[in-house]
Amino acid sequence: MNNIEEYVDRTAELINLPIKPEHRPGVVVNFERIAAIARLVTEFPLPQEIEAAPVFEP
């Protein structure tokens, strides 16, 4: 079992969310996709001089 499979199982158990066995593979695949997208954001290098904006303006 890889980390994402374990995460899905433990989190579902923690929040008392039953996942039918036939749906579990799809849930795991979606979390793998979410993790890949999150890595793009979290691993993006930012220069040291960048400061967070005090207010978000779209």
Side-chain angles (χ1 to χ4, degrees):
M1 184 180 314
N2 69 34
N3 289 340
I4 292 181
E5 290 175 332
E6 185 173 349
Y7 176 81
V8 167
D9 293 340
R10 302 296 171 249
T11 302
E13 183 180 322
L14 182 67
I15 64 172
N16 197 28
L17 177 67
I19 299 176
K20 292 183 179 182
E22 64 268 23
H23 295 154
R24 186 179 173 277
V27 173
V28 170
V29 167
N30 278 315
F31 269 90
E32 288 170 344
R33 290 177 184 148
I34 291 167
I37 292 168
R39 272 191 298 279
L40 291 173
V41 174
T42 59
E43 294 176 359
F44 185 82
L46 293 175
Q48 289 294 327
E49 60 272 3
I50 294 291
E51 293 184 22
V55 178
F56 173 73
E57 295 179 20

